[in-house]
Amino acid sequence: MTAKDALTERYQDLLSIYLKAKTETTLYKGQQFSRKLLEQQISPEDLVSLHIQVMDELFPNMSDEMRDSFDFLLEAMIGYGFAYREHQSLRDKQQQLESEIEVAASMQQTLLLSDVPQFDELDIGVVSVPAKKMNGDYYNFVKSGNSLSIAVADIIGKGIPAALCMSMIKYAMDSLPDEQMKPHLLLENLNRVVEQNVHSNMFITMFHGVYEPESHKFFYAGAGHEPGFIYNAKEDSFFDLIAKGLVLGVSRTTTYHPYEKEIQIGDMVILLSDGVTECRTSKGFIERDEIVSLIRKYMHLPAQQIVENVFQELDRLQEFELRDDFTLIILKRLV
Amino acid sequence: MDIQSCVEVRNEWDIVSARQLGRNMAKELGFGNVDQARITTAISELARNIYLYAGRGKICIEPIDQLGKKGLRIIALDNGPGIREIRKVMEDGYTTSGGLGAGLPGVKRLMDEFSIESTVDVGTEISATKWLR
Ligand SMILES: Nc1ncnc2c1ncn2[C@@H]1O[C@H](COP(=O)(O)OP(=O)(O)OP(=O)(O)O)[C@@H](O)[C@H]1O
Ligand SMILES: [Mg+2]
């Protein structure tokens, strides 16, 4: 017996039971039967044809008009069959797209993965979590000479285009010569790359800094990026880490201002993406003050545990629904 | 059995004649009522395209028998403007009927085999086959 014969038989059983005693139970079984039909990808016109076949069996003396009306119904059902098939094919296509995105996302993760370098003088912690499958935030650590170069960037825009753009930025940065590692010059260079290669409706904000262990100076520059914080251990207080500058890609001739700061033992440099400050809870946006007090709550811990704890609390406050890619980095001077 | 029958398509009534021709042949070959409805629907879509976009053309129906495998082939022919972007036209959601799943991709799904050849300013030839199961 083929699957189709089995269906016919089952339909005939259900229908004859129903016609004898019109109970809700049989109707319920009929509804469950329709799930089975869908599982087996029976299209609407097939079901009508099944009905005709069964009615022919049950009522061999059915009037001609009745019999003919079924043929008409069948014809009128074809349009629904069209729509049903399109739905199936679009669903297949969507599944295929989703698995392709999955692959692309994991490729992106490996491409953009940046190992955290080891420094005796510094304790470094990082979390970077995408809101959707692909991460539009980017961070990069490079040990060049004795110095630590660190970049945090955020694409204005989300999803796949943002992620593709991020990969481009990574390769642009990798191909810059070492002497361009001065943050403001690096941003000027990248700005030209972005201006030339990225569609004008996409903007990139970036913060770039270089930590020099010999002098304990932190050199930095910013391109419209969400300001981070500096923690001053002596005063036990947090300050905004302001680095003014236009976002990348607006104008070819943008220049960036160089900033520097001395870092004392116990001080922290805190870098973030706007996914951190744009955390939305039931009470509205998270205030920068609240982030500072979260960091304060955990700052006795190693840097990696601070960032992870802060992320977990913010994630919980948002009921585990990240709205934007989230990146938080902490550098703490140890000795 | 290898006789092709054709219907000229110049106006909307000719679409009905093409359907009738297809239905008769489908019945004769032993297609069930569902497949008959699918075949005539495919004919309607192809004939309507000829009428709407090429102005005139013809629909031919032929029975096929390949090593005992029986079926029916619809051939839609015209010397109209041709289709510039076949790939696009064959994508779901492109037709003007948007989202109803009809049009050429719908015809392709209704039938077992489908091929399209079209040259801009020369014309279009579409052939679609349904096998008897
Ligand atoms: N025989 C033809 N000659 C020239 N162009 C054609 C022909 N058949 C189709 N086309 C072009 O291909 C397009 C898609 O055709 P298709 O039948 O898939 O959808 P449609 O006719 O636009 O909408 P519908 O879903 O109502 O059929 C048409 O809009 C028309 O531009
Ligand atoms: Mg059409």
Side-chain angles (χ1 to χ4, degrees):
Chain A
M1 190 160 67
T2 66
K4 191 145 190 201
D5 292 337
L7 282 181
T8 313
E9 199 164 288
R10 175 92 181 117
Y11 191 74
Q12 179 155 359
D13 285 350
L14 284 175
L15 188 59
S16 19
I17 294 169
Y18 181 70
L19 293 179
K20 270 188 212 110
K22 302 185 184 67
T23 66
E24 194 60 39
T25 316
T26 324
L27 286 179
Y28 173 53
K29 285 186 178 148
Q31 183 227 317
Q32 283 178 316
F33 183 69
S34 87
R35 290 186 59 140
K36 193 175 238 146
L37 292 170
L38 281 170
E39 268 168 33
Q40 304 206 11
Q41 313 204 332
I42 303 294
S43 64
E45 70 269 23
D46 281 321
L47 175 59
V48 171
S49 156
L50 187 62
H51 187 76
I52 299 174
Q53 201 182 326
V54 168
M55 290 298 280
D56 272 337
E57 294 260 335
L58 295 177
F59 304 97
N61 302 319
M62 177 178 10
S63 76
D64 282 351
E65 285 93 341
M66 187 67 86
R67 180 71 187 65
D68 295 345
S69 82
F70 283 139
D71 283 337
F72 193 82
L73 176 62
L74 181 70
E75 202 69 38
M77 216 62 200
I78 291 281
Y80 291 89
F82 258 141
Y84 173 70
R85 280 189 196 79
E86 181 176 50
H87 166 82
Q88 281 179 320
S89 111
L90 289 174
R91 207 186 44 188
D92 290 349
K93 224 178 260 175
Q94 185 185 345
Q95 275 170 358
Q96 191 192 336
L97 278 177
E98 261 171 27
S99 65
E100 279 173 18
I101 291 172
E102 206 86 53
V103 174
S106 72
M107 272 175 72
Q108 194 211 11
Q109 289 300 318
T110 16
L111 277 178
L112 298 189
L113 210 62
S114 174
D115 286 334
V116 180
Q118 297 293 317
F119 285 86
D120 293 340
E121 300 86 351
L122 288 173
D123 179 20
I124 304 174
V126 188
V127 275
S128 185
V129 183
K132 301 223 180 91
K133 281 188 180 130
M134 305 199 60
N135 201 339
D137 280 358
Y138 171 60
Y139 70 90
N140 190 32
F141 292 102
V142 177
K143 195 172 186 173
S144 78
N146 285 327
S147 302
L148 168 70
S149 146
I150 175 169
V152 187
D154 183 0
I155 302 256
I156 304 181
K158 285 186 200 57
I160 298 172
L164 287 175
C165 191
M166 230 38 309
S167 308
M168 192 197 78
I169 291 288
K170 179 194 160 59
Y171 286 103
M173 278 184 70
D174 286 354
S175 57
L176 290 179
D178 262 5
E179 60 266 28
Q180 294 273 299
M181 278 305 188
K182 286 207 173 73
H184 67 290
L185 296 180
L186 179 136
L187 289 182
E188 280 168 23
N189 222 316
L190 277 185
N191 175 62
R192 285 193 291 272
V193 173
V194 172
E195 200 270 335
Q196 279 171 34
N197 298 294
V198 176
H199 197 269
S200 60
N201 63 11
M202 208 167 348
F203 297 106
I204 299 160
T205 72
M206 184 181 267
F207 177 94
H208 189 258
V210 170
Y211 191 95
E212 218 175 65
E214 294 88 5
S215 59
H216 290 292
K217 273 191 180 155
F218 187 57
F219 301 91
Y220 59 99
H225 197 77
E226 176 76 20
F229 303 100
I230 287 270
Y231 172 71
N232 183 313
K234 202 151 83 200
E235 295 178 28
D236 186 27
S237 50
F238 286 84
F239 300 94
D240 285 344
L241 183 64
I242 306 267
K244 288 208 171 93
L246 210 52
V247 297
L248 300 178
V250 174
S251 151
R252 182 175 298 229
T253 54
T254 309
T255 54
Y256 293 93
H257 191 274
Y259 295 84
E260 61 178 90
K261 204 152 207 99
E262 262 180 58
I263 306 295
Q264 310 294 334
I265 291 174
D267 287 0
M268 294 190 286
V269 176
I270 297 144
L271 307 178
L272 35 88
S273 66
D274 60 7
V276 178
T277 43
E278 277 168 22
C279 282
R280 246 181 118 76
T281 66
S282 47
K283 283 180 259 141
F285 282 118
I286 290 268
E287 299 288 331
R288 284 171 66 86
D289 289 354
E290 296 175 68
I291 293 164
V292 164
S293 45
L294 273 177
I295 295 171
R296 194 177 273 286
K297 181 171 165 192
Y298 294 109
M299 95 193 162
H300 57 284
L301 299 169
Q304 187 58 34
Q305 288 182 35
I306 306 176
V307 292
E308 277 171 16
N309 278 302
V310 171
F311 169 71
Q312 273 158 22
E313 284 220 14
L314 287 174
D315 197 23
R316 192 162 43 78
L317 281 173
Q318 296 185 93
E319 285 148 3
F320 306 102
E321 277 188 45
L322 274 192
R323 266 159 249 255
D324 197 357
D325 305 328
F326 181 109
T327 299
L328 179 63
I329 296 176
I330 291 184
L331 314 179
K332 195 189 217 170
R333 180 176 163 193
L334 293 173
V335 289
Chain B
M1 199 161 69
D2 201 49
I3 347 95
Q4 202 186 50
S5 322
C6 298
V7 169
E8 293 281 334
V9 177
R10 287 148 309 190
N11 56 48
E12 222 167 345
W13 314 121
D14 296 331
I15 300 176
V16 176
S17 317
R19 282 177 61 102
Q20 188 66 63
L21 178 68
R23 186 177 303 274
N24 292 345
M25 185 147 342
K27 245 185 210 159
E28 221 173 279
L29 288 166
F31 281 102
N33 51 3
V34 184
D35 277 344
Q36 281 177 35
R38 288 178 181 145
I39 288 166
T40 49
T41 301
I43 293 172
S44 294
E45 291 289 323
L46 296 177
R48 222 165 58 90
N49 280 356
I50 291 178
Y51 162 66
L52 288 174
Y53 309 118
R56 56 187 303 153
K58 62 180 179 176
I59 296 278
C60 297
I61 313 286
E62 62 182 30
I64 36 179
D65 188 338
Q66 277 177 8
L67 307 165
K69 202 170 150 198
K70 288 187 166 47
L72 175 151
R73 178 176 295 140
I74 309 164
I75 299 157
L77 273 170
D78 68 64
N79 300 314
I83 302 173
R84 206 169 284 276
E85 295 184 280
I86 298 192
R87 192 185 293 273
K88 266 234 172 88
V89 161
M90 292 311 296
E91 266 171 28
D92 284 312
Y94 181 82
T95 68
T96 49
S97 67
L100 296 184
L104 294 175
V107 170
K108 184 174 176 179
R109 279 192 290 268
L110 278 183
M111 304 294 285
D112 296 322
E113 277 166 31
F114 182 93
S115 73
I116 176 166
E117 245 169 81
S118 187
T119 311
V120 173
D121 293 336
V122 175
T124 303
E125 175 170 352
I126 294 173
S127 117
T129 305
K130 188 102 200 150
W131 295 109
L132 193 60
R133 256 176 292 267

